[in-house]
Amino acid sequence: MKLFVDSGIVKEIEALASLGIIDGATTNPSLMAKAGGDPRQILKEICRIVQGPVSGEVVATDYEGMIREGHDIAAIDEHMVVKVPFTRDGVKACKTLSGEGIPVNVTLIFSATQALLAAKVGAAFVSPFIGRLDDIATDGMHVIEEIVEIFDNYEFGTEVLVASVRHPIHIVQAARLGADVCTCPPAVIDQLFKHPLTDIGLEKFLKDWEKSQAVAR
Ligand code: E4P
């Protein structure tokens, strides 16, 4: 399963990418607003760092505006993926942009039927938001299970990009279900490194080694 970082903050992305664990990145208007600065420059920089798919989202809500912004986003770098919301205009824009060879990520997906429609119009990625479903007492991961099964049944090339990830268990479940990608906030990726037994184990190894060196001296 590919691991994308869900952030618009270049420093955070750079630190994680330097570990060799990041395959791409996703942003959205909220994350870009939080990052501040020139969005085009930031997206260009993220592409340089991750050298993989980087989603930049349109803010237009009409078809023509989405196409215009989509072309603009795609021109930033060869790694750019145009993110469009799942609306009628978004679906139509996905069909047009995908037909032109521009990869599209259809976002704000909350059901398997929405994912099916996005796949039918050639989306490169669909982004089901599992955390936001969990927030309203609905099993977000069940939607991932349904989408993975449907895409497998019909051999859609669309990748299932699990979004709105809140904790490491989401990542384990997504991987077990065979999702293609998980996009995670840097704080969640940091949690993947933590295990108390690793810390205790390393401390003991180093202490034992130190003791043996003291005896040898
Ligand atoms: C990913 O593409 C989304 O922008 C992101 O995962 C949304 O996460 P949130 O529900 O935590 O805002």
Side-chain angles (χ1 to χ4, degrees):
M1 185 177 72
K2 283 172 268 189
L3 187 63
F4 287 5
V5 55
D6 195 26
S7 170
I9 298 178
V10 169
K11 272 208 164 86
E12 289 181 337
I13 298 169
E14 203 155 34
L16 290 169
S18 73
L19 303 175
I21 55 171
I22 300 300
D23 303 295
T26 50
T27 65
N28 63 35
S30 306
L31 292 172
M32 293 310 284
K34 189 174 164 201
D38 173 12
R40 286 185 71 86
Q41 269 312 108
I42 292 171
L43 290 169
K44 204 173 176 53
E45 190 59 10
I46 298 173
C47 288
R48 185 192 61 76
I49 295 165
V50 304
Q51 291 293 310
V54 174
S55 291
E57 189 163 342
V58 300
V59 287
T61 53
D62 63 306
Y63 168 79
E64 286 79 14
M66 286 185 193
I67 297 298
R68 205 169 40 246
E69 287 181 19
H71 287 155
D72 229 48
I73 290 168
I76 294 173
D77 188 280
E78 59 178 347
H79 292 106
M80 285 308 300
V81 174
V82 176
K83 213 175 182 192
V84 301
F86 183 86
T87 57
R88 281 180 163 74
D89 287 65
V91 165
K92 198 172 155 189
C94 177
K95 173 90 180 168
T96 303
L97 293 169
S98 302
E100 293 172 0
I102 295 172
V104 177
N105 175 355
V106 180
T107 190
L108 291 169
I109 295 278
F110 292 97
S111 73
T113 47
Q114 290 178 323
L116 176 62
L117 295 187
K120 285 178 75 70
V121 291
F125 300 96
V126 286
S127 291
F129 279 29
I130 55 170
R132 294 192 195 186
L133 280 168
D134 290 354
D135 287 346
I136 57 160
T138 306
D139 183 4
M141 214 36 88
H142 181 63
V143 175
I144 302 300
E145 194 176 355
E146 289 179 333
I147 298 171
V148 168
E149 186 184 347
I150 292 167
F151 284 10
D152 280 354
N153 283 349
Y154 297 99
E155 297 179 358
F156 281 118
T158 305
E159 295 192 45
V160 182
L161 193 166
V162 178
S164 189
V165 166
R166 300 277 161 79
H167 47 70
I169 295 170
H170 276 156
I171 300 170
V172 173
Q173 291 172 326
R176 292 190 70 187
L177 290 171
D180 301 283
V181 191
C182 229
T183 190
C184 311
V188 175
I189 298 176
D190 285 342
Q191 284 179 274
L192 303 181
F193 283 92
K194 290 183 189 149
H195 199 293
L197 291 180
T198 304
D199 299 340
I200 293 166
L202 180 59
E203 200 186 330
K204 181 160 171 24
F205 283 159
L206 296 179
K207 263 198 190 132
D208 290 346
W209 176 249
E210 270 307 308
K211 261 190 244 158
S212 76
Q213 295 306 293
V215 170
R217 265 187 241 123

